[in-house]
Amino acid sequence: MSSLDLTRYRRDLRLRSVAAVWESAGCPPASALRHAEICLSLADHANRVRIVAGMWERHRFPPADAVRRAEICLILAAPEPTDPNQNQRKKAK
């Protein structure tokens, strides 16, 4: 598997995980996928929790629950941390 394929695969996994959170809250699949895309695009944004919590509040979730759900979505949306030794291990092989 090429590095580009692996990157896409990991992003798809994150996208499906976040969409599942939205679907479990009653959003239709297309809407859940759209919300998941937004969460992934906001994963590095400074105000990400506030913005995603606002999305949940618009779906009539109480503020505390909205923040909790936003944090879950953003944890699932965050890219995996890169291992600084990964490139060195590849070179050693």
Side-chain angles (χ1 to χ4, degrees), residues 1-84:
M1 184 179 283
S2 73
S3 64
L4 181 59
D5 290 338
L6 187 58
T7 300
R8 286 180 182 164
Y9 175 75
R10 288 179 178 160
R11 184 183 185 285
D12 287 348
L13 284 177
R14 293 192 320 266
L15 186 65
R16 282 183 272 175
S17 297
V18 176
V21 173
W22 285 96
E23 283 185 47
S24 70
C27 285
S31 179
L33 190 58
R34 186 174 59 246
H35 288 357
E37 286 280 358
I38 293 169
C39 289
L40 261 65
S41 67
L42 292 171
D44 292 328
H45 194 276
N47 296 318
R48 61 189 170 267
V49 174
R50 183 182 57 80
I51 294 168
V52 176
M55 290 168 43
W56 282 103
E57 286 178 14
R58 285 189 291 281
H59 285 277
R60 295 190 172 92
F61 284 86
D65 192 29
V67 169
R68 184 178 57 82
R69 288 175 181 268
E71 289 171 343
I72 290 168
C73 286
L74 291 167
I75 287 169
L76 293 171
E80 295 178 13
T82 56
D83 183 3

